[in-house]
Structure formats: C-alpha cells, structure tokens
Amino acid sequence: MATKKTKKEHKYATEEAFESLEQTAQSSENFLEKNAKILAIVFGALILAAVGYFAYLKFYVDPRNEEAQNEIVTADTMFEQDSMQLALNGSPGAYMGYNQILNEYKGTDLAKIAEYKAGIANYQLGNYQEALENFKNFNTSEVALKAVKEGATGDTYVQLGKKDEALAAYEKAIRASDLQVLERIYTKKYAILAHEIGANDKAYGKVKEYLEKYNDAPDNELDRLAALFESAQK
C-alpha cells in the first residue's frame, strides 16, 4: 500500500509540475502578445545601438586614429631627438605637438600615447605640475607601462617636494608588475627615499621583501643597502 501511495503521489506531483510549466508558458506567451510592440522597439533600439557603435568605430574612431598617427610622427621625431619643447608644442602650420594632439584627437589610442609622452616631455622641461597631470590622466592595461607610469609619477612628486606621495607612487610601481627589472628599480627608489625621510624601517622592509622574493638572484647593491638600513635600526 505504501508503495502504491508513493507512486500515486509521485504521479500527481509530476502532473502538477507539468501544469505549472504550462501555465508559466501561457503567461509568457500572453506577456509577449501584450508587449510585442514594446519589446520590438526595445530590441530594435539595442540593434541600432550595436550597429551605431560599430559604425562609430569604423567611420569615426578608426579614421581619427589614422589621422592622429600621421600627425604624431614629427612630434615623436622631436621627442627622440630630445627636442622636448617642439615635441610638446609642435610648430604652428607645420605639425602638431603632443598638446595639440591631445586636444584634437581626444579619445583615440594615439592621444593616450601622446598623454604619456607629454608627461615625459614636461618632466624633462621642468614643468612638473603639468607632467603630474599628464601621468594622472594616462591609463593603460599594459602592466609594464603601468609600472613605468607610476614610477614616473613618483619621480615627479619628488621634484615637487611631495615625498610621501612619491613613496606611495613607487609602491604602486613595485606592485604593478612582476618584472624583476622594474621591481628592482622602484624598490631601490622607494628604499632610498624612505631612508632620506627617516622611515628606515620601511626602507629596510622593502629591500628585504625584494631580496626574499628573488633569493635565487644575488644583488650586491641591494644587499649592501639592506645591510646599511639594518645597521641604522640598531
């Protein structure tokens, strides 16, 4: 009897489940019937948005990137020749500098590159506040370049006398990339600056952290710094 009851209950449960699914399906159909026009409008809007976005990329962004590429060539040549003033401001009527490219081609990939190079140019010219703004505005997903950007930001803060901010930037530079060569550069900068401002424990801790991470690669210079900072703590 118990077995028959269980089967019967199972049958009813199954039937109820199918009835529930059927009711749900009917409700969905009714919803679609009642709101077909609205859904069509929404769906059409999404399609138009997608088409519009790709058209924007193809007919606006891509050509502007090509134009920017043509404009930036001479500025890059000046940059490579250490003519930072000409790279930054260009020559009216002849070619655009990084500042003009930033304004004229805002949002393009080349404008992003121009932002970073403008920061380097401003730094070399002693325009440290302008350089800092350039570095802050520059964004990249490339980890090595992000580390270099943070390191350059730290250098700029040092020139502006903002050493606490510089330490924080060097910390970001160290964390931004797992490339040993970059970690070494910014660990050294961080440690020396920390020692200069009296944060010897931070200086020693940062160098020790690097040496422990790369314990299979002897580093005489950082070993000496670690010994110096350790003795200063005693």
Side-chain angles (χ1 to χ4, degrees), residues 21-33:
L21 286 172
E22 187 177 355
Q23 289 172 1
T24 301
Q26 288 175 350
S27 297
S28 298
E29 288 174 6
N30 292 336
F31 175 81
L32 290 172
E33 288 174 4

Side-chain angles (χ1 to χ4, degrees), residues 1 51 61 112 164 167 182:
M1 292 292 291
V51 171
V61 174
K112 294 177 184 178
D164 288 335
L167 272 186
L182 293 179

Side-chain angles (χ1 to χ4, degrees), residues 91-112:
S91 178
Y95 69 94
M96 290 185 180
Y98 296 137
N99 283 337
Q100 290 76 33
I101 291 169
L102 283 173
N103 292 326
E104 188 72 21
Y105 298 100
K106 189 174 182 179
T108 64
D109 294 335
L110 268 296
K112 294 177 184 178

